[in-house]
Amino acid sequence: MKTSSDALVNIVIPNWNGKKFLGPCLDSLQSQTFSDFVVTVVDNGSVDNSLELLNNNYSWVRSISFAENRGFSAAVNAGIGQNVYPYVFLLNNDTELDENCLEQLINIAEQYSDYSFFSPKMLNYFHRDILDGAGDGFLRGGVGYRLGTMEADAAIYSTMRHVFGACAGAALYRKEFFDTIGLFDNDFFAYLEDVDINLRANFKGQKCLYVPAAAVYHIGSATSGSKINALTIRLSTRNTFFVLLKNYPLSLFFKYFSQLFLYQFMWFCFVVKKRQFIPYVHGVVQAVRSAHAMRRKHRLLYPEKLRKPISDLDKILKTSEIEVLDSIMRRRRALGKGNGCFNLYKRFFT
């Protein structure tokens, strides 16, 4: 790795009380076959001596420290803001990289100049034959989906292909990507901020390439402690509405009314089942209070003279949703579960 300004990649790692994860993550970076990079850890007010670990054992790592937890978006934005390098690689602290991961990503990025961001193959940290995600898709109800998640790694996920977007837990971006799209939205704090930026990228003609030869091993939800808790439910509920309010023109709200209603109904049933009704209500209330601000952002992001035709947006979103549904149905078949409801949905709503 390098410490000078002539490096090719700035690796940005957000951290909040992640001391026990940082060591293995940084060790895997030291073992890369590609070394033309610098590392920037952005610490969100950790109280577990994360910074002491960096100072004592990883002096080659640059650090930015906040006094309090400002969230994922603010942390990665601070790291991106330090960037004078051709590429930015965002990386969660609860990951390890295969030794040739960065080399594979950079080689592909240098070859495919028409793509502006790149998704590695993400695999389960503990069961490395199980996928964590093979690029990101999008459901028109307003949420993202990591393609292939919880599926066994298979030939279908070993082919490089165009995908809707990348999970910001491990993604390579050209510097120009953020010049064109803008940074992550600090108002999201955490969760779905990459769904928002993937949407903005697609609506503005930016393309993402899935690179299966680049492997990242991911624990998942290590910082928040679990996938289902009051924080994740509140932020996921609120941020789903943020994604829609910020990115959908009114015509898409009308066009996708059935899909939006169905998704929200299913999400409501899920949170009630998980006994998370109160955090759900808090998320809805926060979304309502911020609705005007999000619509103002929409008008700034998509001025009328630059808006894509609705037919183009519909094609982009529908194509991605079909890919997501196929992935979900493939996983369910592998588990011996039926797909009757999904087949009906595909028939009548896609």
Side-chain angles (χ1 to χ4, degrees):
M1 68 294 300
K2 295 188 176 183
T3 57
S4 61
S5 60
D6 62 347
L8 195 61
V9 185
N10 178 22
I11 301 176
V12 177
I13 304 174
N15 179 71
W16 180 59
N17 293 329
K19 178 183 176 181
K20 63 182 178 181
F21 307 116
L22 276 174
C25 178
L26 295 171
D27 290 343
S28 76
L29 292 177
Q30 283 187 296
S31 301
Q32 290 295 295
T33 56
F34 174 91
S35 60
D36 196 3
F37 62 83
V38 297
V39 178
T40 305
V41 171
V42 185
D43 188 76
N44 260 325
S46 295
V47 293
D48 67 344
N49 297 320
S50 290
L51 292 176
E52 285 79 359
L53 172 72
L54 297 179
N55 292 333
N56 293 335
N57 299 325
Y58 300 96
S59 58
W60 48 273
V61 173
R62 307 184 303 181
S63 64
I64 300 171
S65 179
F66 296 152
E68 70 286 328
N69 185 4
R70 299 185 185 178
F72 177 90
S73 297
V76 296
N77 285 343
I80 295 167
Q82 302 292 311
N83 192 61
V84 294
Y85 313 98
Y87 297 98
V88 177
F89 184 57
L90 300 187
L91 186 65
N92 278 3
N93 58 9
D94 61 337
T95 59
E96 287 185 17
L97 272 63
D98 186 76
E99 64 179 5
N100 67 353
C101 177
L102 288 174
E103 182 178 7
Q104 292 288 344
L105 281 171
I106 294 301
N107 285 344
I108 293 300
E110 294 286 280
Q111 292 177 47
Y112 290 83
S113 58
D114 54 333
Y115 284 86
S116 57
F117 60 133
F118 304 84
S119 173
K121 176 185 284 188
M122 299 180 73
L123 296 154
N124 185 287
Y125 188 93
F126 301 106
H127 305 283
R128 299 191 172 188
D129 58 342
I130 301 297
L131 285 164
D132 187 68
D136 272 21
F138 181 75
L139 289 163
R140 287 174 290 173
V143 292
Y145 182 86
R146 290 205 297 272
L147 299 169
T149 187
M150 294 185 284
E151 292 183 50
D153 193 10
I156 191 172
Y157 294 116
S158 298
T159 301
M160 192 165 60
R161 69 188 192 284
H162 173 85
V163 290
F164 184 81
C167 169
L172 180 72
Y173 303 85
R174 298 190 194 277
K175 180 180 182 296
E176 294 79 13
F177 176 91
F178 297 106
D179 296 336
T180 301
I181 303 302
L183 297 173
F184 290 87
D185 191 333
N186 287 349
D187 287 339
F188 280 64
F189 189 82
Y191 300 106
L192 279 75
E193 69 289 312
D194 49 2
V195 179
D196 169 58
I197 211 165
N198 287 340
L199 262 180
R200 284 151 52 194
N202 275 271
F203 284 9
K204 294 192 176 183
Q206 304 295 303
K207 297 193 298 181
C208 183
L209 189 64
Y210 165 63
V211 185
V216 175
Y217 307 105
H218 183 217
I219 295 175
S221 301
T223 297
S224 62
S226 65
K227 292 184 179 181
I228 307 299
N229 56 56
L231 176 68
T232 61
I233 294 298
R234 176 176 62 83
L235 292 179
S236 296
T237 299
R238 184 196 68 181
N239 291 352
T240 297
F241 288 108
F242 279 6
V243 166
L244 297 168
L245 290 165
K246 183 177 174 181
N247 293 284
Y248 273 20
L250 286 176
S251 52
L252 278 189
F253 279 104
F254 290 113
K255 186 177 183 64
Y256 296 157
F257 176 80
S258 298
Q259 291 89 340
L260 293 168
F261 176 82
L262 182 60
Y263 174 78
Q264 288 301 324
F265 175 73
M266 296 301 294
W267 177 245
F268 176 78
C269 292
F270 174 79
V271 297
V272 170
K273 180 180 178 180
K274 295 296 182 179
R275 300 181 180 180
Q276 297 288 342
F277 177 72
I278 299 302
Y280 170 83
V281 171
H282 288 166
V284 172
V285 170
Q286 290 177 358
V288 170
R289 288 175 175 172
S290 300
H292 180 71
M294 287 295 149
R295 290 311 290 174
R296 185 167 60 246
K297 288 184 180 184
H298 173 79
R299 291 189 291 272
L300 292 172
L301 280 170
Y302 307 107
E304 189 170 351
K305 63 181 180 180
L306 297 179
R307 292 177 189 169
K308 282 181 177 287
I310 293 301
S311 58
D312 290 351
L313 300 180
D314 183 48
K315 182 178 179 181
I316 290 170
L317 300 180
K318 188 180 293 185
T319 298
S320 183
E321 183 168 81
I322 290 172
E323 188 172 24
V324 169
L325 292 171
D326 288 342
S327 178
I328 294 172
M329 292 166 70
R330 192 161 44 243
R331 177 167 62 88
R332 289 178 61 85
R333 281 195 298 270
L335 295 172
K337 296 182 178 180
N339 282 312
C341 292
F342 291 100
N343 283 319
L344 286 172
Y345 181 90
K346 284 186 70 175
R347 179 178 178 183
F348 292 105
F349 295 111
T350 62

